[in-house]
Amino acid sequence: KQTLAEINHSISLNYYKLDSIENFLYHMRKAREFAIEADHLYIEMLTFNSVLQYHIDVEKPDSALYYARLTLDAARRYGNPYNLTGVYNMASSAYILANRHDRALQLLYKALALGEENNFTPMLAWTNESLARVYAEQGDHRRAYHHSSALNALKDSIFKMEQQQKILSMDRKFNVA
């Protein structure tokens, strides 16, 4: 059974897909209110993250930075390393948008450390892609290449895992030994 916070968050995301920004923001506010009222920290974090993504998409650096801080705070309080890794990545995008590459790099290296510590392969791919982009923008081609290479290796690893899962699935489906 979904909570009112979860329902409003889902509704909000659908309005975003429909490019109905006023309704997106309204339902996101309602979702956050319900989440805070019910002490539902996960949904509170998701609402901040969704609004952060919106402000990054429309290239509003000041409001993106504001929501980056709120999202980071909520993710830290929530305490899930996977979610925190994703939030570090998302928040770094706000700092990149605001041309604050130093802070973006700090967050990305936190994401990298958490991703490596917990073997979050998709998050590591995202982090390395972002690191490569920041270093390329700064003209540090050696580091950009290093993180691009790491990204490619992770993509290969993800592809191999997906192929192995498909083979296992077909193996189970057709009982091929």
Side-chain angles (χ1 to χ4, degrees):
K1 184 177 175 182
Q2 284 191 316
T3 66
L4 288 173
E6 292 167 315
I7 291 167
N8 274 277
H9 185 257
S10 293
I11 290 169
S12 178
L13 293 177
N14 285 323
Y15 277 121
Y16 190 70
K17 290 175 189 172
L18 295 170
D19 205 25
S20 179
I21 301 307
E22 188 175 311
N23 286 319
F24 160 73
L25 292 171
Y26 170 78
H27 284 283
M28 200 56 73
R29 270 191 306 278
K30 295 303 286 180
R32 189 167 41 256
E33 288 170 12
F34 286 126
I36 291 169
E37 184 179 299
D39 200 27
H40 199 325
L41 192 50
Y42 176 69
I43 296 297
E44 182 184 349
M45 178 191 64
L46 286 182
T47 62
F48 287 136
N49 199 50
S50 297
V51 177
L52 168 58
Q53 180 65 59
Y54 162 71
H55 288 284
I56 291 169
D57 289 348
V58 296
E59 298 182 359
K60 293 184 176 180
D62 291 338
S63 51
L65 290 174
Y66 172 75
Y67 281 100
R69 287 187 289 275
L70 292 174
T71 307
L72 283 165
D73 177 60
R76 287 180 183 124
R77 286 184 288 126
Y78 184 59
N80 179 298
Y82 187 80
N83 294 109
L84 187 55
T85 305
V87 168
Y88 282 146
N89 275 295
M90 182 64 75
S92 75
S93 297
Y95 286 95
I96 292 167
L97 178 65
N99 289 317
R100 293 196 41 207
H101 293 112
D102 55 332
R103 181 68 176 132
L105 288 170
Q106 289 173 353
L107 293 171
L108 288 168
Y109 278 107
K110 286 181 180 185
L112 189 66
L114 264 178
E116 288 173 344
E117 179 183 325
N118 295 286
N119 198 29
F120 299 145
T121 304
M123 290 293 182
L124 286 169
W126 183 12
T127 304
N128 277 291
E129 181 177 26
S130 297
L131 283 164
R133 190 172 90 228
V134 171
Y135 282 125
E137 287 176 10
Q138 291 183 326
D140 188 339
H141 301 293
R142 184 181 59 77
R143 286 186 177 157
Y145 176 78
H146 168 77
H147 290 289
S148 257
S149 296
L151 169 64
N152 289 332
L154 288 164
K155 282 182 177 178
D156 289 345
S157 173
I158 292 168
F159 178 76
K160 286 176 187 175
M161 287 188 309
E162 289 171 348
Q163 294 306 310
Q164 288 172 343
Q165 288 174 346
K166 285 179 186 177
I167 291 168
L168 287 173
S169 175
M170 287 190 329
D171 195 38
R172 275 186 242 116
K173 185 176 180 179
F174 297 107
N175 281 329
V176 176

